[in-house]
């Protein structure tokens, strides 16, 4: 057990902390983005708890967009393309394999990854979007 926890220690020096200005702007951007998405979800659907799953994948996207805006996964092409393709795949797979939910889950995520690679729109939260759909 002790060996397990020692493997979690950092082997290198921790990366430097980001400047406070960047942290504040990341916080403001994430707050405004998620507030907007949650507000739209509330106004479009009376069952807010049902929309929380979808908002979860937006939360992961917010970390990439506002926390690492220069990363390849955070670019608009990846964000929009990967999310939309993954949602479409998730819905399509569910329509075909609704009676086999375990198979549908595995197919939705794996197919969305493959299609995001093929279209060069890889966005990690897209996997969650496909699974939720």
């Amino acid at each position: 057990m002790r060996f397990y926890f020692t493997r979690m220690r950092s082997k290198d020096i921790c990366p430097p902390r980001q400047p406070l200005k960047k942290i504040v702007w990341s916080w403001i951007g994430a707050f405004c983005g998620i507030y907007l998405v949650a507000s739209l979800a509330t106004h479009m659907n009376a069952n807010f708890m049902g929309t929380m799953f979808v908002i979860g994948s937006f939360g992961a996207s917010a970390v990439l967009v506002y926390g690492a805006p220069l990363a390849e996964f955070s670019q608009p092409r990846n964000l929009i393309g990967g999310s939309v393709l993954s949602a479409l795949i998730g819905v399509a797979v569910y329509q075909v394999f609704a009676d086999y939910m375990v198979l549908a889950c595995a197919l939705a995520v794996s197919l969305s990854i493959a299609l995001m690679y093929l279209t060069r729109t890889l966005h990690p939260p897209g996997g969650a979007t496909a699974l939720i759909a």
Side-chain angles (χ1 to χ4, degrees):
M1 183 77 146
R2 182 178 159 204
F3 175 71
Y4 179 77
F5 288 112
T6 59
R7 291 176 43 198
M8 292 184 185
R9 263 191 314 201
S10 175
K11 292 180 176 70
D12 290 331
I13 299 171
C14 289
R17 179 171 285 133
Q18 296 295 323
L20 185 59
K21 182 178 179 179
K22 181 174 181 172
I23 294 170
V24 169
W25 278 112
S26 295
W27 179 84
I28 290 170
F31 178 86
C32 292
I34 295 300
Y35 188 85
L36 177 66
V37 170
S39 295
L40 288 172
T42 302
H43 293 300
M44 296 177 81
N45 187 354
N47 180 11
F48 183 70
M49 291 308 290
T51 59
M52 288 306 293
F53 291 114
V54 175
I55 292 173
S57 65
F58 281 108
S61 294
V63 171
L64 289 173
V65 171
Y66 301 112
L70 299 179
E72 182 181 346
F73 299 140
S74 304
Q75 300 311 303
R77 171 191 175 94
N78 296 61
L79 173 72
I80 296 167
S83 296
V84 170
L85 289 173
S86 297
L88 291 173
I89 289 173
V91 170
V93 167
Y94 175 76
Q95 295 296 319
V96 176
F97 296 102
D99 294 334
Y100 307 98
M101 195 53 67
V102 174
L103 176 63
C105 290
L107 272 174
V109 174
S110 60
L111 287 173
S112 69
I113 292 170
L115 191 59
M116 285 189 287
Y117 266 129
L118 288 171
T119 59
R120 294 175 295 153
T121 58
L122 192 63
H123 184 63
T129 303
L131 190 60
I132 290 166

